[in-house]
Amino acid sequence: MSLTRVALAGSTGSIGTQALDVIEAEADRFELSAIGATGRQPEVIIEQARRYRPSVVAISDPEAAQSIAAELPGVEVRGGADAMASLALEADVVVNGVVGFAGLSVTLATLEAGRRLALANKESLIAAGPVVQVARRTPGAELVPVDSEHGAIHQCLRATDNRNRVSRLLLTASGGPFRGRTADDLANVTIENALAHPTWSMGPKITIDSSTLMNKGLEVIEAHELFGTPAGDAGYGIGFEDIDVVVHPQSIVHSMVEFTDASTIAQLSTPDMRLPIGYALAWPDRISTPFGRIDWTNLGRLDFEPPDLEAFPCLALAYAAGRSGGTAPAWISAANEVAVDAFLNGQIAWREIASVIAATLDRHDGAPATDADAVIDADSQARRIAHEELNSFASVVR
Ligand code: MG
């Protein structure tokens, strides 16, 4: 088997470090060719470069790039805003583990270079859906999701050869740390409460998104982009009305696909992101290292329940933004990033995350997402408006 060259954008984050585990465990098939990070954790990326010896290191912050380069003689260190996207040309597969809208350039550069994109950065797909759909048509370009739910759906869809036989996608949600609480119970939850995810170990942004169910809402839009109607050859004729969310607190069933004969196929494992990372790297093959293996003698029960839309309004907001289309998904994703940052900085209460997002979306201008520039403009505008809305909530909290 020839070695697959892998580049990791966002190598110091939660996805990046777990991808390194997979590459190390499968050293006979994967070779780490390049890594990239913002430069905010210079000691981590220097250690990664020394240990895994990639030929290129990309650092978005140009000053950090200079000081990191001084520590890595013989390694090509690229610095600047475009450095991370340039990794696309250094690999057969790029893992995009960048956090938030900043991952867009990596998503587009990888697809436009005709490479495989192992996508953990759902925000780029959500914000720039129509633009990413065009880039996906580049010869050689492939998008394999790293999100556990979408990796599960990708696997379940292989149960049919006929794309018209898919009737429903069922995205599972752990429910996060606040499952079962009422809207009133959630008035005074703390940052520590929200960061205490019951089943998954993830970065802070996505952990807060899980606590509000915005993560699941964004994943509904992500599923629609990946498997839905507008994707041409990649599509399964799935509309928003065909995507349902099921709360499943054990996080063992990672999602399901229901076919026209009512057969429902599920993908199961214990919660371990290294499984979907390995799947996205190796597809259509599978890696030989087991991650997330289930011990059936100790598994116990699997529970399922509907989501509480009243206590977790972000889920309905995301469905609405997805149905609006155009730049509405870019707006909800940007407003959410602003609101989550504000919550993590102690500026607003947890419940105000949804309020800031709703108030921002109320001011959406209905612009279409025609090209990357339109999406970048929409992102900046939504952030500006979200900050305005934030100020009207921030004064009353804490
Ligand atoms: Mg997920």
PDB file of all heavy atoms in Angstrom, residues 15 47 54 56 63 69 79 81 122 127 130 132 163 217 225 235 239-241 267 281 287 294 338 389:
ATOM      1  N   ILE A  15      -9.245  17.998  17.441  1.00  0.00           N
ATOM      2  CA  ILE A  15      -9.265  17.132  16.249  1.00  0.00           C
ATOM      3  C   ILE A  15      -7.836  16.850  15.787  1.00  0.00           C
ATOM      4  O   ILE A  15      -7.485  15.706  15.458  1.00  0.00           O
ATOM      5  CB  ILE A  15     -10.082  17.790  15.110  1.00  0.00           C
ATOM      6  CG1 ILE A  15     -11.563  17.847  15.465  1.00  0.00           C
ATOM      7  CG2 ILE A  15      -9.848  17.060  13.771  1.00  0.00           C
ATOM      8  CD1 ILE A  15     -12.261  16.507  15.526  1.00  0.00           C
ATOM      9  N   GLU A  47       6.749  21.073  19.358  1.00  0.00           N
ATOM     10  CA  GLU A  47       6.903  19.687  19.790  1.00  0.00           C
ATOM     11  C   GLU A  47       6.350  18.708  18.749  1.00  0.00           C
ATOM     12  O   GLU A  47       6.972  17.678  18.452  1.00  0.00           O
ATOM     13  CB  GLU A  47       6.178  19.497  21.127  1.00  0.00           C
ATOM     14  CG  GLU A  47       6.707  18.327  21.923  1.00  0.00           C
ATOM     15  CD  GLU A  47       5.589  17.413  22.389  1.00  0.00           C
ATOM     16  OE1 GLU A  47       4.736  17.876  23.165  1.00  0.00           O
ATOM     17  OE2 GLU A  47       5.576  16.242  21.956  1.00  0.00           O
ATOM     18  N   PRO A  54       6.994  16.690   9.945  1.00  0.00           N
ATOM     19  CA  PRO A  54       6.378  17.092   8.678  1.00  0.00           C
ATOM     20  C   PRO A  54       7.346  17.987   7.911  1.00  0.00           C
ATOM     21  O   PRO A  54       8.218  18.623   8.529  1.00  0.00           O
ATOM     22  CB  PRO A  54       5.156  17.898   9.137  1.00  0.00           C
ATOM     23  CG  PRO A  54       5.572  18.469  10.464  1.00  0.00           C
ATOM     24  CD  PRO A  54       6.444  17.425  11.102  1.00  0.00           C
ATOM     25  N   VAL A  56       6.442  20.613   6.077  1.00  0.00           N
ATOM     26  CA  VAL A  56       5.978  22.005   6.095  1.00  0.00           C
ATOM     27  C   VAL A  56       5.175  22.259   7.376  1.00  0.00           C
ATOM     28  O   VAL A  56       4.383  21.411   7.802  1.00  0.00           O
ATOM     29  CB  VAL A  56       5.082  22.311   4.865  1.00  0.00           C
ATOM     30  CG1 VAL A  56       4.578  23.755   4.905  1.00  0.00           C
ATOM     31  CG2 VAL A  56       5.820  22.041   3.565  1.00  0.00           C
ATOM     32  N   GLU A  63       4.115  36.741  13.060  1.00  0.00           N
ATOM     33  CA  GLU A  63       5.167  36.926  14.078  1.00  0.00           C
ATOM     34  C   GLU A  63       5.481  35.614  14.787  1.00  0.00           C
ATOM     35  O   GLU A  63       6.641  35.265  15.001  1.00  0.00           O
ATOM     36  CB  GLU A  63       4.733  37.975  15.107  1.00  0.00           C
ATOM     37  CG  GLU A  63       4.977  39.383  14.620  1.00  0.00           C
ATOM     38  CD  GLU A  63       4.476  40.420  15.608  1.00  0.00           C
ATOM     39  OE1 GLU A  63       4.492  40.149  16.831  1.00  0.00           O
ATOM     40  OE2 GLU A  63       4.045  41.497  15.140  1.00  0.00           O
ATOM     41  N   ALA A  69       9.863  29.297  13.497  1.00  0.00           N
ATOM     42  CA  ALA A  69      10.865  28.901  12.490  1.00  0.00           C
ATOM     43  C   ALA A  69      12.258  28.842  13.106  1.00  0.00           C
ATOM     44  O   ALA A  69      13.057  27.946  12.792  1.00  0.00           O
ATOM     45  CB  ALA A  69      10.831  29.871  11.315  1.00  0.00           C
ATOM     46  N   GLY A  79       4.366  31.488   7.084  1.00  0.00           N
ATOM     47  CA  GLY A  79       3.598  32.333   7.990  1.00  0.00           C
ATOM     48  C   GLY A  79       2.632  33.204   7.234  1.00  0.00           C
ATOM     49  O   GLY A  79       2.848  33.523   6.064  1.00  0.00           O
ATOM     50  N   ALA A  81      -1.699  34.826   6.736  1.00  0.00           N
ATOM     51  CA  ALA A  81      -3.117  34.463   6.654  1.00  0.00           C
ATOM     52  C   ALA A  81      -3.377  33.330   5.662  1.00  0.00           C
ATOM     53  O   ALA A  81      -4.305  32.536   5.848  1.00  0.00           O
ATOM     54  CB  ALA A  81      -3.931  35.700   6.268  1.00  0.00           C
ATOM     55  N   LYS A 122     -17.108  22.260  10.541  1.00  0.00           N
ATOM     56  CA  LYS A 122     -18.438  22.322   9.936  1.00  0.00           C
ATOM     57  C   LYS A 122     -18.829  23.742   9.579  1.00  0.00           C
ATOM     58  O   LYS A 122     -19.611  23.968   8.657  1.00  0.00           O
ATOM     59  CB  LYS A 122     -19.469  21.690  10.877  1.00  0.00           C
ATOM     60  CG  LYS A 122     -19.659  22.425  12.188  1.00  0.00           C
ATOM     61  CD  LYS A 122     -20.588  21.660  13.133  1.00  0.00           C
ATOM     62  CE  LYS A 122     -19.978  20.360  13.582  1.00  0.00           C
ATOM     63  NZ  LYS A 122     -20.292  19.947  14.945  1.00  0.00           N
ATOM     64  N   ALA A 127     -21.465  27.982   6.511  1.00  0.00           N
ATOM     65  CA  ALA A 127     -21.485  29.397   6.124  1.00  0.00           C
ATOM     66  C   ALA A 127     -21.421  29.553   4.608  1.00  0.00           C
ATOM     67  O   ALA A 127     -22.043  30.440   4.042  1.00  0.00           O
ATOM     68  CB  ALA A 127     -20.315  30.136   6.781  1.00  0.00           C
ATOM     69  N   PRO A 130     -23.210  27.122  -0.685  1.00  0.00           N
ATOM     70  CA  PRO A 130     -23.277  27.165  -2.148  1.00  0.00           C
ATOM     71  C   PRO A 130     -21.886  27.273  -2.801  1.00  0.00           C
ATOM     72  O   PRO A 130     -21.674  26.744  -3.895  1.00  0.00           O
ATOM     73  CB  PRO A 130     -24.104  28.437  -2.422  1.00  0.00           C
ATOM     74  CG  PRO A 130     -24.877  28.687  -1.160  1.00  0.00           C
ATOM     75  CD  PRO A 130     -24.005  28.190  -0.044  1.00  0.00           C
ATOM     76  N   VAL A 132     -19.033  26.088  -1.458  1.00  0.00           N
ATOM     77  CA  VAL A 132     -18.371  24.788  -1.271  1.00  0.00           C
ATOM     78  C   VAL A 132     -18.927  23.767  -2.277  1.00  0.00           C
ATOM     79  O   VAL A 132     -18.178  22.948  -2.815  1.00  0.00           O
ATOM     80  CB  VAL A 132     -18.544  24.290   0.185  1.00  0.00           C
ATOM     81  CG1 VAL A 132     -17.992  22.879   0.352  1.00  0.00           C
ATOM     82  CG2 VAL A 132     -17.843  25.250   1.154  1.00  0.00           C
ATOM     83  N   ARG A 163     -29.982   5.994  -4.674  1.00  0.00           N
ATOM     84  CA  ARG A 163     -30.077   7.220  -3.879  1.00  0.00           C
ATOM     85  C   ARG A 163     -31.518   7.642  -3.629  1.00  0.00           C
ATOM     86  O   ARG A 163     -31.790   8.398  -2.706  1.00  0.00           O
ATOM     87  CB  ARG A 163     -29.319   8.345  -4.580  1.00  0.00           C
ATOM     88  CG  ARG A 163     -27.824   8.169  -4.482  1.00  0.00           C
ATOM     89  CD  ARG A 163     -27.057   9.111  -5.386  1.00  0.00           C
ATOM     90  NE  ARG A 163     -25.643   8.842  -5.228  1.00  0.00           N
ATOM     91  CZ  ARG A 163     -24.837   9.544  -4.433  1.00  0.00           C
ATOM     92  NH1 ARG A 163     -25.307  10.572  -3.765  1.00  0.00           N
ATOM     93  NH2 ARG A 163     -23.572   9.233  -4.319  1.00  0.00           N
ATOM     94  N   GLY A 217     -27.977  21.830  15.709  1.00  0.00           N
ATOM     95  CA  GLY A 217     -28.616  22.649  14.671  1.00  0.00           C
ATOM     96  C   GLY A 217     -27.669  22.875  13.493  1.00  0.00           C
ATOM     97  O   GLY A 217     -28.069  22.742  12.323  1.00  0.00           O
ATOM     98  N   GLU A 225     -26.224  20.065   3.567  1.00  0.00           N
ATOM     99  CA  GLU A 225     -25.197  20.407   2.575  1.00  0.00           C
ATOM    100  C   GLU A 225     -24.513  19.151   2.042  1.00  0.00           C
ATOM    101  O   GLU A 225     -24.225  19.048   0.857  1.00  0.00           O
ATOM    102  CB  GLU A 225     -24.143  21.335   3.185  1.00  0.00           C
ATOM    103  CG  GLU A 225     -24.627  22.759   3.420  1.00  0.00           C
ATOM    104  CD  GLU A 225     -25.075  23.446   2.137  1.00  0.00           C
ATOM    105  OE1 GLU A 225     -24.509  23.166   1.064  1.00  0.00           O
ATOM    106  OE2 GLU A 225     -26.026  24.247   2.202  1.00  0.00           O
ATOM    107  N   GLY A 235     -25.836  14.255  -3.861  1.00  0.00           N
ATOM    108  CA  GLY A 235     -27.089  14.416  -3.135  1.00  0.00           C
ATOM    109  C   GLY A 235     -27.941  13.163  -3.055  1.00  0.00           C
ATOM    110  O   GLY A 235     -27.825  12.253  -3.870  1.00  0.00           O
ATOM    111  N   GLY A 239     -34.398  16.851   2.053  1.00  0.00           N
ATOM    112  CA  GLY A 239     -34.695  18.228   2.446  1.00  0.00           C
ATOM    113  C   GLY A 239     -34.653  18.361   3.967  1.00  0.00           C
ATOM    114  O   GLY A 239     -34.500  17.364   4.682  1.00  0.00           O
ATOM    115  N   PHE A 240     -34.807  19.600   4.456  1.00  0.00           N
ATOM    116  CA  PHE A 240     -34.778  19.796   5.911  1.00  0.00           C
ATOM    117  C   PHE A 240     -35.891  19.011   6.610  1.00  0.00           C
ATOM    118  O   PHE A 240     -35.748  18.591   7.758  1.00  0.00           O
ATOM    119  CB  PHE A 240     -34.849  21.284   6.263  1.00  0.00           C
ATOM    120  CG  PHE A 240     -33.522  21.965   6.092  1.00  0.00           C
ATOM    121  CD1 PHE A 240     -33.258  22.723   4.952  1.00  0.00           C
ATOM    122  CD2 PHE A 240     -32.530  21.821   7.045  1.00  0.00           C
ATOM    123  CE1 PHE A 240     -32.023  23.325   4.781  1.00  0.00           C
ATOM    124  CE2 PHE A 240     -31.291  22.419   6.876  1.00  0.00           C
ATOM    125  CZ  PHE A 240     -31.035  23.169   5.744  1.00  0.00           C
ATOM    126  N   GLU A 241     -37.020  18.801   5.892  1.00  0.00           N
ATOM    127  CA  GLU A 241     -38.126  18.048   6.501  1.00  0.00           C
ATOM    128  C   GLU A 241     -37.776  16.568   6.652  1.00  0.00           C
ATOM    129  O   GLU A 241     -38.464  15.833   7.353  1.00  0.00           O
ATOM    130  CB  GLU A 241     -39.409  18.240   5.674  1.00  0.00           C
ATOM    131  CG  GLU A 241     -39.389  17.627   4.278  1.00  0.00           C
ATOM    132  CD  GLU A 241     -38.613  18.460   3.232  1.00  0.00           C
ATOM    133  OE1 GLU A 241     -37.976  19.469   3.609  1.00  0.00           O
ATOM    134  OE2 GLU A 241     -38.616  18.073   2.045  1.00  0.00           O
ATOM    135  N   GLN A 267     -24.974   3.453  12.900  1.00  0.00           N
ATOM    136  CA  GLN A 267     -23.543   3.185  13.124  1.00  0.00           C
ATOM    137  C   GLN A 267     -23.259   3.383  14.603  1.00  0.00           C
ATOM    138  O   GLN A 267     -23.653   4.393  15.190  1.00  0.00           O
ATOM    139  CB  GLN A 267     -22.679   4.118  12.269  1.00  0.00           C
ATOM    140  CG  GLN A 267     -21.187   3.801  12.343  1.00  0.00           C
ATOM    141  CD  GLN A 267     -20.441   4.728  13.287  1.00  0.00           C
ATOM    142  OE1 GLN A 267     -20.844   5.856  13.510  1.00  0.00           O
ATOM    143  NE2 GLN A 267     -19.350   4.243  13.851  1.00  0.00           N
ATOM    144  N   LEU A 281      -9.989   9.409   6.575  1.00  0.00           N
ATOM    145  CA  LEU A 281      -8.663   9.303   5.954  1.00  0.00           C
ATOM    146  C   LEU A 281      -8.584   8.088   5.040  1.00  0.00           C
ATOM    147  O   LEU A 281      -7.975   8.136   3.978  1.00  0.00           O
ATOM    148  CB  LEU A 281      -7.572   9.196   7.030  1.00  0.00           C
ATOM    149  CG  LEU A 281      -7.317  10.438   7.888  1.00  0.00           C
ATOM    150  CD1 LEU A 281      -6.238  10.151   8.915  1.00  0.00           C
ATOM    151  CD2 LEU A 281      -6.903  11.618   7.019  1.00  0.00           C
ATOM    152  N   ILE A 287      -9.383   1.692   8.420  1.00  0.00           N
ATOM    153  CA  ILE A 287      -8.120   1.479   9.120  1.00  0.00           C
ATOM    154  C   ILE A 287      -8.202   0.170   9.907  1.00  0.00           C
ATOM    155  O   ILE A 287      -9.298  -0.354  10.144  1.00  0.00           O
ATOM    156  CB  ILE A 287      -7.757   2.665  10.053  1.00  0.00           C
ATOM    157  CG1 ILE A 287      -8.832   2.920  11.107  1.00  0.00           C
ATOM    158  CG2 ILE A 287      -7.487   3.922   9.232  1.00  0.00           C
ATOM    159  CD1 ILE A 287      -8.426   3.938  12.161  1.00  0.00           C
ATOM    160  N   ILE A 294     -16.879  -1.308  21.208  1.00  0.00           N
ATOM    161  CA  ILE A 294     -17.924  -1.469  22.225  1.00  0.00           C
ATOM    162  C   ILE A 294     -17.705  -2.759  23.016  1.00  0.00           C
ATOM    163  O   ILE A 294     -17.470  -3.814  22.434  1.00  0.00           O
ATOM    164  CB  ILE A 294     -19.319  -1.511  21.554  1.00  0.00           C
ATOM    165  CG1 ILE A 294     -19.619  -0.157  20.901  1.00  0.00           C
ATOM    166  CG2 ILE A 294     -20.395  -1.866  22.573  1.00  0.00           C
ATOM    167  CD1 ILE A 294     -20.842  -0.160  20.016  1.00  0.00           C
ATOM    168  N   VAL A 338     -19.825  34.662  17.929  1.00  0.00           N
ATOM    169  CA  VAL A 338     -19.743  35.877  18.752  1.00  0.00           C
ATOM    170  C   VAL A 338     -20.389  35.630  20.115  1.00  0.00           C
ATOM    171  O   VAL A 338     -19.823  35.968  21.168  1.00  0.00           O
ATOM    172  CB  VAL A 338     -20.431  37.065  18.030  1.00  0.00           C
ATOM    173  CG1 VAL A 338     -20.576  38.264  18.968  1.00  0.00           C
ATOM    174  CG2 VAL A 338     -19.652  37.444  16.769  1.00  0.00           C
ATOM    175  N   GLU A 389     -26.117  43.545  19.168  1.00  0.00           N
ATOM    176  CA  GLU A 389     -27.162  42.880  19.946  1.00  0.00           C
ATOM    177  C   GLU A 389     -26.629  42.427  21.308  1.00  0.00           C
ATOM    178  O   GLU A 389     -27.305  42.515  22.320  1.00  0.00           O
ATOM    179  CB  GLU A 389     -27.724  41.676  19.178  1.00  0.00           C
ATOM    180  CG  GLU A 389     -28.458  42.055  17.905  1.00  0.00           C
ATOM    181  CD  GLU A 389     -29.670  42.952  18.166  1.00  0.00           C
ATOM    182  OE1 GLU A 389     -30.222  42.896  19.288  1.00  0.00           O
ATOM    183  OE2 GLU A 389     -30.062  43.708  17.256  1.00  0.00           O
TER     184      GLU A 389
END
